[in-house]
Amino acid sequence: MLKPPFILAIAGGGSTYTPGIVKSLMVRLNDFPLAEIRLYDIDSARQETIAPVVEKVIRDHSQTIKFTTTGDPEVAFSGAHVVFAQMRVGQYKMREQDEKIPLRHGVVGQETCGPGGLAYGLRTILPMVELIDMVERYADSKAWIVNYSNPAAIVAEGVRRLRPTARVLNICDMPVAAMRNMGAILGVDRHKLEVDYFGLNHFGWFTRVLVDGEDQLPALRRHIAKFGLLTEDAAQTDPQHSDPSWVKTWRNIKPIMDNFPDYLPNPYLQYYLMPNEIVEHQNPDYTRANEVMDGREKKLFAAAEEYKRTGILPDAFHVGVHGAFIVDVACSLAFDLRQRHLVIVENKGAIANLPYDAMVEVPAYITAAGPEPVRMGAVPLFHQTLLMQQLASEQLLVEATLEGSYEKALQAFTLNRTVPTMQHAKAILDDMIEANRDYWPALQKAWVNGEAAS
Ligand code: NAD
Ligand code: G6P
Ligand code: MN
């Protein structure tokens, strides 16, 4: 087992989430003792902008934890015990493209769902593998990478194919954010909920929500029929998902459950089950990427600037489930706590009627040797079919990346439920290829010399 105090490296150190995650680490130092925090990023200017804020958060809690920022993987990962990954390959500039290109063709434009998520996946698989190789080269041999980098479903599948034995655990904060809202509705702390859940990342359903052994899904169903997955006054206990667009997303749980009341859907299912309504309400010239750049990013950068000028750090970043969850998972991995968390794992029969090797999202006991998935049994035909189609789309995208196959990329786009026709798929993919010319060079070459030219 790993021995504390730990050296923790954060890949994607310049992320808007870094200060919040570090704050979550600071309030849990008794559970997760730290000797050093290292930020690693390929954009040193961005990382250096955020670093003073991070250092202040650390110093408010500890004078002894060493703090390092670097763009050198050897410095970042040598002897590291735990690595948190939160890279956004292509940054917000490319997120904007992922969202706006499909919208130009009347298709959902989203960071992780539909063609936007597929394009983001094409950019991220190989940098993620590079990160794993650097960590394996320099870090403690028992080090774990806990990965938030999106699109997590595709990243997980790419890593399974290319680095099947790597000590990487892919996680998402959406289920735990949904559980936070459930807790607020039920009037209990989210840690008191024990849930059953099955699906893929950003594509799954809660089937049971136990509180003290009693299933509260019927009570939630009655509440959601009136208010969606929000408390009656829509007060959000966690600021991360409380912008107006998120409030709309929580409310959209209602129309989905009005039609299919059995299970409580992951909010991201809105993009697959009601895409036309989503597109109608999206502004093709101002998407979530713009909201985030004008909101979360701007606020953090302004605070960093003000701190530099005045020595006073304004309240400028979120501390909530996102940071708390990754720290919980890291504690369970490091100390073999066997806590039950919803994570992304190889299926191995957890969902009986999905492929054995699919990367699924289910509850798992998190041990020092990795996650042990809990068996969710066979799922109904409706859900199984939706899942199989999404899985095929994501798996073909990974194969397209590995084989340099234009045809498989086109199949991945065509199979995605958000894309109505083959012609839409092709038009969007071709625009994506142009927009991603700095990120998919090897693929472009293969596509031009091979199938794309034929
Ligand atoms: P951000 O752009 O603010 O931060 C990402 C950082 O990653 C940037 O500083 C960028 O320079 C860096 N980066 C890009 N490529 C890199 C590489 N190859 N090596 C090292 N660093 C690299 O983005 P953000 O909004 O703060 O989000 C960060 C990431 O976390 C994104 O991937 C986002 O999708 C993900 N995220 C995931 C979840 C989840 O549920 N899994 C939740 C929230 C955020
Ligand atoms: C949720 C999802 C993440 C996603 C994030 C986007 O937390 O689980 O996977 O990256 O939302 O939030 P944003 O505020 O950047 O749109
Ligand atoms: Mn997520």
Side-chain angles (χ1 to χ4, degrees), residues 97 99-107 284-285 428 431-432 435:
Q97 295 299 313
E99 293 169 349
K100 289 184 178 174
I101 290 171
L103 277 173
R104 285 211 294 272
H105 298 274
V107 170
D285 300 317
I428 295 169
D431 284 0
M432 291 288 198

Side-chain angles (χ1 to χ4, degrees), residues 82-100:
V82 183
V83 177
F84 289 174
Q86 45 170 354
M87 303 179 296
R88 183 183 289 289
V89 178
Q91 301 183 325
Y92 292 130
K93 188 172 129 280
M94 290 309 297
R95 176 178 183 173
E96 203 179 347
Q97 295 299 313
D98 293 342
E99 293 169 349
K100 289 184 178 174

Side-chain angles (χ1 to χ4, degrees), residues 16-17 87-89 91-92 94-100 102 108-124 148-152 154 173-174 202 240-241 246 268 271-272 282 287-289 292 296 432:
T16 53
Y17 291 99
M87 303 179 296
R88 183 183 289 289
V89 178
Q91 301 183 325
Y92 292 130
M94 290 309 297
R95 176 178 183 173
E96 203 179 347
Q97 295 299 313
D98 293 342
E99 293 169 349
K100 289 184 178 174
V108 168
Q110 215 281 325
E111 174 199 25
T112 63
C113 300
L118 296 173
Y120 189 12
L122 264 163
R123 287 198 302 277
T124 309
Y148 260 141
S149 311
N150 267 323
I154 291 170
D173 62 17
M174 200 75 268
H202 291 185
Q240 188 198 340
H241 299 104
W246 273 109
Y268 280 93
Y271 298 110
Y272 300 97
Q282 270 186 310
T287 58
R288 180 68 189 153
V292 171
R296 186 167 72 233
M432 291 288 198

Side-chain angles (χ1 to χ4, degrees), residues 217-252:
L217 192 53
L220 287 168
R221 216 176 262 131
R222 288 191 294 275
H223 179 94
I224 288 166
K226 291 192 199 144
F227 308 109
L229 192 56
L230 286 170
T231 51
E232 190 171 340
D233 60 4
Q236 287 289 290
T237 50
D238 194 293
Q240 188 198 340
H241 299 104
S242 57
D243 280 354
S245 54
W246 273 109
V247 169
K248 209 185 280 174
T249 297
W250 295 121
R251 292 226 190 278
N252 276 344

Side-chain angles (χ1 to χ4, degrees), residues 328-347:
D328 274 344
V329 169
C331 285
S332 204
L333 282 170
F335 297 113
D336 200 28
L337 300 181
R338 306 188 72 86
Q339 282 175 356
R340 182 177 165 129
H341 292 293
L342 285 179
V343 294
I344 301 161
V345 288
E346 191 169 348
N347 185 19

Side-chain angles (χ1 to χ4, degrees), residues 317-383:
F317 54 88
H318 300 327
V319 183
V321 290
H322 180 82
F325 181 54
I326 196 168
V327 177
D328 274 344
V329 169
C331 285
S332 204
L333 282 170
F335 297 113
D336 200 28
L337 300 181
R338 306 188 72 86
Q339 282 175 356
R340 182 177 165 129
H341 292 293
L342 285 179
V343 294
I344 301 161
V345 288
E346 191 169 348
N347 185 19
K348 295 185 177 161
I351 302 174
N353 49 353
L354 280 195
Y356 189 83
D357 61 1
M359 293 304 291
V360 298
E361 196 163 67
V362 289
Y365 293 100
I366 311 297
T367 79
E372 289 175 6
V374 178
R375 290 184 172 265
M376 292 290 109
V379 303
L381 182 62
F382 174 67
H383 306 81

